[in-house]
Amino acid sequence: QSALTQPPSASGSPGQSVTISCTGTSSDVGGYNYVSWYQQYPGKVPKLMIYEVSKRPSGVPDRFSGSKSGNTASLTVSGLQADDEADYYCSSYGGSRNLVFGGGTKLTVL
Amino acid sequence: EVQLVESGGGLVQPGGSLTLSCAASGFSVGANSMYMTWVRQAPGRGLEWVSLIYTGGDTTYAASVKGRFTISRDNSKNTLVLQMNSLTTEDSAVYFCAKGGPGYWYFDLWGRGTLVTVSS
């Protein structure tokens, strides 16, 4: 199972919106609505931001939204704030009782 | 307080074994519809899924660890366990345990991780 493809970096200015993509195949992202996104600050624990493509856990700001089209999932962060600067990882059920993560995207707030 | 605390990491030689534990509090690792997982992160690298155990005790593994790692849980101690054998330098990483969400294949509570270093 290959890792999902994410851009290594993304950036935006405070108040802007930024979208991070997560590309897989029809065997993972495209085949199931089990895409999740995690935020991780350096040296810290991953935090669930989005699950099942577009659902937000309690406590996650509605500035964070998720979507999927075909084999590509996306995380959009609107109204960028300084503390959004972190690494973001997508994951997807990959069939055959496997989970696959993306390589991660470092989001920089300019 | 709902939390997960990993332990058991350390320095081990290639070919050696190590057992990681993840103590849960505030919920039961053996509860109905509960599933738990191990995810690892090599220094400076991304997240890599390792293994998962379902509520009924069924288990699944990433190809990279299948046959070498064994996931289990001790309901009496409310603990998740990862037995790691035949370790290689590629297994060096911080190992996180995580709790599955009410739905499928996502994890809403993570431990702080325990560092495993495989080196001679």
Side-chain angles (χ1 to χ4, degrees):
Chain A
Q1 192 88 40
S2 299
L4 305 176
T5 300
Q6 295 182 235
S9 63
S11 63
S13 300
Q16 288 186 332
S17 292
V18 64
T19 297
I20 298 170
S21 62
C22 169
T23 301
T25 69
S26 58
S27 296
D28 39 60
V29 174
Y32 307 93
N33 287 325
Y34 295 140
V35 176
S36 304
W37 290 89
Y38 299 88
Q39 176 191 63
Q40 186 183 34
Y41 295 111
K44 301 299 184 182
V45 177
K47 175 187 176 183
L48 179 68
M49 304 300 284
I50 296 288
Y51 66 97
E52 292 174 3
V53 176
S54 59
K55 299 178 182 178
R56 260 189 323 273
S58 173
V60 172
D62 59 7
R63 302 184 297 103
F64 291 84
S65 62
S67 62
K68 189 184 84 167
S69 177
N71 298 335
T72 298
S74 299
L75 173 72
T76 298
V77 186
S78 306
L80 269 176
Q81 299 180 359
D83 64 357
D84 296 333
E85 185 162 298
D87 294 324
Y88 291 84
Y89 294 91
C90 63
S91 71
S92 173
Y93 178 61
S96 301
R97 305 195 308 166
N98 276 285
L99 183 75
V100 61
F101 279 97
T105 298
K106 180 177 177 60
L107 175 60
T108 300
V109 180
L110 302 170
Chain B
E1 181 186 5
V2 180
Q3 65 175 355
L4 295 166
V5 179
E6 300 93 336
S7 61
L11 176 63
V12 60
Q13 291 190 337
S17 300
L18 208 57
T19 300
L20 306 183
S21 295
C22 171
S25 56
F27 71 97
S28 171
V29 298
N32 231 11
S33 302
M34 182 62 62
Y35 60 102
M36 304 282 295
T37 199
W38 288 96
V39 173
R40 67 186 181 184
Q41 186 171 34
R45 306 291 296 273
L47 301 174
E48 179 188 11
W49 174 71
V50 173
S51 181
L52 181 143
I53 185 166
Y54 294 90
T55 182
D58 200 10
T59 59
T60 183
Y61 300 90
S64 58
V65 306
K66 196 170 186 177
R68 301 187 298 121
F69 289 12
T70 301
I71 189 173
S72 62
R73 60 171 187 249
D74 185 334
N75 291 344
S76 66
K77 296 181 179 179
N78 209 27
T79 296
L80 180 71
V81 177
L82 186 69
Q83 172 67 44
M84 304 186 296
N85 298 327
S86 303
L87 287 163
T88 75
T89 56
E90 298 295 308
D91 297 315
S92 295
V94 173
Y95 284 72
F96 297 100
C97 66
K99 167 185 159 296
Y104 298 101
W105 292 99
Y106 65 92
F107 309 101
D108 59 3
L109 177 69
W110 295 63
R112 300 176 75 88
T114 187
L115 177 63
V116 172
T117 303
V118 184
S119 175
S120 55

